[in-house]
Amino acid sequence: MIRVRDDDDIRTVTLDRPDSRNALRPDDLDELRVAVADAETPVTYLRGAGSAFCAGADLDAVAALDDPSEFARRGQRTASALADADTVVVCGIDGAARGGGVEMALASDVRVATPDATFGEPGVSFGLFGAWGGTVRLPRVMREGDALEFALSGRVLDAEEARQAGLVSRVVDDPRAVATEIASGKPDALRTIKRRMRDRREDGTQERAEAAAFADLVATHREEIAASRGD
């Protein structure tokens, strides 16, 4: 279900179950978590095969669950792996992102859509909601009122609506090009920026960590910094 390919500075992780719109089963979640957590490339590009990004949780698997709470925790661990990995995760959404697919996108560092991308949280229509960290991350990414309306209504956003709401940063024909653009940066700077912006501690602690990380990068890249002054 999960295909991995390393190419220069980018690991491409593909959700490869197109006949099911890349819906995620329990084992798929574990494979995705490992694929991202083990990445040694500065950037990981997450995409879906076929005409959809990800339909979310496989509902046949959900209906057969003996322990729904553990399935939710499994999805949360996978989403947290995307957010916490050293690699910068760029999510390219082409076609439908629904439910858990939206949640995996939310856990990524950069979200880029094609004009054909659509986003929805349809769980409310059959008695569910996004339990892979969706109720935590969605109001951080969208305004709280917009996040509530999006989740409560189950309505579908097109790519431009998603950009305006903050769900994605760009709408482009080739999302991988954004991953390539980001991968041109210095790997240690990319890693540091991600760590600092993901830091949820109080402001003073974050600022002290920011200053220390800045000093480390200056020490590492002093000659390059000096050489770039004329650019």
Side-chain angles (χ1 to χ4, degrees):
M1 161 59 185
I2 307 297
R3 286 193 289 110
V4 176
R5 187 185 79 243
D6 289 339
D7 180 20
D8 296 326
D9 292 329
I10 299 175
R11 165 168 284 194
T12 299
V13 176
T14 301
L15 311 179
D16 191 13
R17 200 173 167 229
D19 291 345
S20 299
R21 299 204 307 165
N22 304 316
L24 295 166
R25 301 161 296 188
D27 289 348
D28 301 324
L29 290 168
D30 294 341
E31 289 182 32
L32 177 56
R33 175 178 52 79
V34 171
V36 174
D38 287 356
E40 297 181 357
T41 53
V43 173
T44 293
Y45 178 58
L46 176 62
R47 62 179 295 274
S51 61
F53 169 64
C54 177
D58 185 299
L59 295 181
D60 289 337
V62 172
L65 288 172
D66 293 325
D67 189 347
S69 178
E70 172 54 27
F71 183 59
R73 294 292 297 143
R74 213 164 182 170
Q76 291 166 1
R77 288 192 292 270
T78 299
S80 292
L82 272 64
D84 297 340
D86 282 340
T87 186
V88 173
V89 181
V90 178
C91 184
I93 303 102
D94 184 23
R98 299 288 185 271
V102 172
E103 291 176 287
M104 293 305 152
L106 287 170
S108 301
D109 302 304
V110 178
R111 295 171 297 281
V112 185
T114 72
D116 294 328
T118 60
F119 301 78
E121 288 280 7
V124 67
S125 67
F126 45 85
L128 292 177
F129 67 97
W132 292 346
T135 59
V136 176
R137 292 188 177 92
L138 191 61
R140 290 178 183 169
V141 170
M142 302 171 71
R143 293 186 299 268
E144 183 175 307
D146 291 343
L148 277 162
E149 192 270 341
F150 177 60
L152 291 169
S153 69
R155 76 184 182 97
V156 173
L157 304 182
D158 64 25
E160 183 55 29
E161 288 174 314
R163 187 193 66 79
Q164 293 175 6
L167 271 176
V168 299
S169 57
R170 299 194 214 178
V171 178
V172 298
D173 291 330
D174 180 13
R176 186 184 170 84
V178 178
T180 301
E181 177 185 327
I182 291 171
S184 67
K186 293 292 184 183
D188 53 352
L190 297 176
R191 187 165 54 248
T192 298
I193 291 167
K194 173 171 177 171
R195 286 175 178 169
R196 299 279 49 81
M197 289 199 177
R198 290 290 194 182
D199 195 336
R200 297 294 177 187
R201 294 174 295 177
E202 56 89 20
D203 289 354
T205 301
Q206 288 189 50
E207 288 170 353
R208 287 189 292 274
E210 180 184 72
F214 179 77
D216 288 343
L217 289 173
V218 169
T220 299
H221 298 291
R222 192 177 299 276
E223 293 183 3
E224 294 165 278
I225 295 167
S228 69
R229 285 180 298 176
D231 293 347

